[in-house]
């Protein structure tokens, strides 16, 4: 390549955007960049700070996280249908992700309200944030194709463990998941599915309160229990479609998980 010819501006711009995207910067909040270092400005204040409590396995959170969880519980309990729950989530200010990763809005659910299967993913990504619906990006489209092949189209209600996009699509923290958990639980009690499909390690760990890797949990049946023990449902962890896009050879495992879920779903109920 001739080193003396500078690259075309669009190639430079492309390369800079790719560099930012790799660093997790994939949306712009203002038309003009603000050089906060040059201006001596401190970063904008975060509206909510959650204590980095290890919430997954060790009971109740403390401090601001406990307040946010209590508020989420209260709002969730007041929601008597899914539309009211969606509104309660949209108005909830206790999850810091709302002010960090989400460019637009909360992302709650997709699918029929009487679905027999509830899919619970990790958290919305960029496409979901832009559209306001879960699992609509590349990974979601793969999941849709797999669900269709398993005869589950229109038989699943989809949501996530958190309702705002984590910045740079990182895994949501246990604290972020804990403040959103009362809404997830309320969604389960309103939909009353027959079973849960927990998509990816971050979903399986928090929903089942277990600290095993997804490869050890996938394909096995667990019992999900509501916090007040008023409801118990069979739950199957499986591999996340984003992982399957990177590791297509693992699709075989995810497919066998779906097959065993459908077999259980369509098994005639034994008389008591
Ligand atoms: N990944 C998830 O876990 N959930 C979505 O909604 C989209 C991608």
């Amino acid at each position: 390549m001739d080193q003396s010819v500078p690259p075309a501006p669009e190639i430079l711009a492309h390369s800079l955007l790719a560099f930012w995207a790799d660093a997790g910067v994939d949306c712009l909040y203002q038309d003009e960049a603000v050089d906060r270092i040059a201006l001596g400005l401190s970063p904008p204040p975060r509206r909510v700070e959650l204590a980095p409590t290890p919430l997954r396995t060790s009971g109740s959170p403390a401090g601001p996280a406990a307040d946010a969880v209590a508020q989420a519980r209260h709002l969730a309990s007041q929601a008597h249908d899914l539309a009211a729950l969606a509104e309660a989530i949209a108005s909830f200010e206790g999850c810091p992700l709302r002010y960090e990763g989400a460019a637009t809005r909360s992302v709650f659910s997709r699918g029929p309200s009487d679905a027999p299967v509830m899919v619970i993913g990790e958290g919305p990504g960029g496409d979901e944030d832009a559209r306001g619906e879960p699992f609509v990006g590349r990974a979601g489209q793969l999941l849709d194709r797999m669900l269709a092949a398993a005869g589950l189209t229109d038989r699943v209600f989809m949501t996530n463990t958190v309702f705002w996009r984590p910045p740079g699509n990182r895994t949501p923290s246990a604290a972020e998941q804990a403040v959103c958990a009362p809404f997830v639980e309320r969604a389960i009690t309103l939909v009353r599915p027959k079973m849960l499909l927990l998509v990816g390690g971050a979903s399986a760990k928090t929903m089942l309160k277990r600290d095993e890797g997804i490869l050890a949990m996938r394909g096995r049946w667990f019992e999900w229990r509501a916090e007040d023990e008023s409801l118990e449902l069979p739950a199957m962890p499986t591999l996340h479609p984003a992982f399957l896009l990177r590791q297509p050879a693992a699709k075989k495992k995810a497919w066998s998980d779906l097959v065993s879920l459908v077999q259980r779903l369509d098994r005639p109920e034994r008389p008591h």
Side-chain angles (χ1 to χ4, degrees):
M1 196 169 118
D2 182 354
Q3 300 290 326
S4 61
V5 181
E10 61 273 20
I11 292 181
L12 287 174
H14 216 268
S15 153
L16 182 60
L17 287 173
F19 170 79
W20 280 344
D22 280 349
V25 181
D26 52 9
C27 57
L28 301 175
Y29 291 89
Q30 288 173 289
D31 289 341
E32 297 290 330
V34 179
D35 185 344
R36 294 186 168 269
I37 297 171
L39 295 172
L41 297 173
S42 49
R46 286 176 58 171
R47 296 278 295 276
V48 198
E49 293 281 347
L50 297 182
T53 329
L55 299 161
R56 198 161 269 145
T57 51
S58 71
S60 316
D67 294 346
V69 173
Q71 198 203 350
R73 249 190 223 128
H74 174 73
L75 283 173
S77 71
Q78 303 292 301
H80 296 296
D81 56 33
L82 290 167
L85 186 59
E87 268 176 41
I89 292 168
S91 71
F92 180 57
E93 298 187 340
C95 180
L97 289 175
R98 181 186 175 120
Y99 306 103
E100 290 179 1
T104 53
R105 57 184 130 194
S106 55
V107 176
F108 174 41
S109 72
R110 173 159 83 86
S113 58
D114 58 351
V117 178
M118 185 143 161
V119 169
I120 303 181
E122 184 172 307
D127 293 310
E128 289 75 23
D129 185 39
R131 291 258 306 268
E133 285 187 321
F135 285 110
V136 292
R138 249 173 31 96
Q141 287 160 21
L142 172 60
L143 183 62
D144 276 350
R145 288 197 296 279
M146 294 178 68
L147 293 170
L152 287 171
T153 301
D154 298 332
R155 298 178 81 195
V156 295
F157 179 93
M158 295 180 179
T159 190
N160 280 300
T161 64
V162 297
F163 306 106
W164 292 268
R165 179 195 185 187
N169 295 340
R170 67 162 166 75
T171 304
S173 72
E176 291 154 356
Q177 289 177 316
V179 290
C180 294
F183 297 115
V184 179
E185 180 161 326
R186 187 73 185 139
I188 298 173
T189 54
L190 288 171
V191 174
R192 289 238 163 204
K194 290 195 174 136
M195 53 194 63
L196 305 179
L197 180 64
L198 307 176
V199 169
S203 166
K205 282 184 187 181
T206 193
M207 295 304 295
L208 300 174
K209 300 190 170 51
R210 294 177 80 97
D211 222 359
E212 289 164 78
I214 187 64
L215 289 172
M217 284 194 277
R218 62 143 284 270
R220 292 160 55 198
W221 284 106
F222 294 86
E223 218 37 49
W224 171 85
R225 245 180 233 108
E227 208 52 37
D228 63 2
E229 313 219 326
S230 60
L231 183 62
E232 268 186 26
L233 290 174
M236 161 84 66
T238 192
L239 301 172
H240 197 284
F243 173 75
L244 300 178
L245 287 171
R246 294 192 301 272
Q247 306 270 340
K251 282 183 191 167
K252 212 162 58 173
K253 291 194 173 102
W255 178 246
S256 104
D257 301 346
L258 275 187
V259 169
S260 70
L261 181 124
V262 170
Q263 278 170 350
R264 182 163 183 164
L265 184 64
D266 292 338
R267 194 164 68 194
E269 285 192 21
R270 281 204 232 116
H272 295 292

